[in-house]
Amino acid sequence: MTVEPFPQWLRPPQGGFVAEDLDRLPDLPPHTELIDGSLVLVSPQAKFHMLVITLLDSLLRRLAPAHLRVRREMSVTLGPDQRPEPDIVVIHAERDGGPELTTYQADDVMLAVEVVSAESRTRDRERKPQLYARAGIAHFWRVENVDGRPVVYVYELDPATKAYALTGIHHDRLRLTVPFDIDIDLTDIDRL
């Protein structure tokens, strides 16, 4: 049995990795994130996670006004050492960039959505929302798995404190007027 050589990209540089490293490092696993200067490698996706992303992605695309775009699993550069990859982002259409774009900037994003996974609970519930809020992203949704059904926790940024305030917890149906008119039957996950 042979042992693979230690990939050089696993060894952090002095001071940690920076956002641009995600575009330069060879052979990074898909969906690698940068949180606090450290690479975060994601585990295989659970079926629930995939189904929620599919449900929200398809319905948000239909509901979003013409000046917005919905993107899934694209990283967002929040600072020199912060480049997380939300499960879904809603961005301003005029800032969508060309086909070679690898990351959005925080001010491109009006909504970030994280579907909580077992291995990333703390990041999805605590660290990423802190980072999104500090970067000025106006809206954040956290989606939890409750008995196989999505429950959506909706947050809005308080610009004075740069922190999110919980505006609602949605079971079965997600009905909102901000950031735009949204009416999603969350039980549709059973039909995917």
Side-chain angles (χ1 to χ4, degrees):
M1 174 153 91
T2 62
V3 176
E4 292 291 319
F6 184 79
Q8 286 304 307
W9 55 260
L10 278 177
R11 192 178 322 270
Q14 186 76 17
F17 291 102
V18 295
E20 295 80 18
D21 288 334
L22 292 184
D23 295 325
R24 294 191 287 245
L25 293 171
D27 303 320
L28 277 178
H31 308 291
T32 299
E33 297 181 278
L34 182 68
I35 306 288
D36 300 325
S38 297
L39 297 178
V40 177
L41 310 177
V42 297
S43 299
Q45 192 176 79
K47 180 181 172 186
F48 175 83
H49 193 269
M50 180 270 304
L51 289 175
V52 170
I53 292 172
T54 300
L55 176 70
L56 293 177
D57 178 59
S58 64
L59 294 175
L60 286 172
R61 284 178 194 275
R62 286 199 317 225
L63 297 170
H67 68 279
L68 299 174
R69 298 289 182 269
V70 178
R71 300 292 180 248
R72 61 187 291 163
E73 301 168 321
M74 282 288 293
S75 69
V76 178
T77 300
L78 305 176
D81 62 349
Q82 309 292 353
R83 189 170 158 185
E85 183 180 292
D87 293 310
I88 295 176
V89 291
V90 176
I91 58 156
H92 302 282
E94 73 274 4
R95 299 185 190 153
D96 197 17
E100 302 302 316
L101 184 78
T102 60
T103 186
Y104 291 108
Q105 300 303 307
D107 62 352
D108 300 339
V109 180
M110 69 164 343
L111 167 66
V113 179
E114 292 289 351
V115 180
V116 175
S117 297
E119 93 287 344
S120 63
R121 281 187 306 270
T122 301
R123 283 191 310 275
D124 292 341
R125 291 175 180 163
E126 297 174 23
R127 188 63 180 138
K128 285 181 167 186
Q130 290 171 345
L131 294 171
Y132 298 149
R134 284 188 200 142
I137 296 174
H139 302 275
F140 171 70
W141 298 353
R142 188 184 84 239
V143 184
E144 298 278 350
N145 179 348
V146 177
D147 300 324
R149 286 274 178 84
V151 174
V152 181
Y153 293 74
V154 175
Y155 298 86
E156 193 167 334
L157 183 65
D158 177 343
T161 63
K162 287 283 199 184
Y164 286 123
L166 181 66
T167 61
I169 301 171
H170 301 265
H171 306 257
D172 297 332
R173 184 158 225 100
L174 177 61
R175 190 174 283 141
L176 303 169
T177 57
V178 290
F180 51 91
D181 288 335
I182 296 168
D183 188 358
I184 296 175
D185 183 351
L186 297 170
T187 67
D188 279 348
I189 195 169
D190 297 334
R191 291 179 278 287
L192 293 179

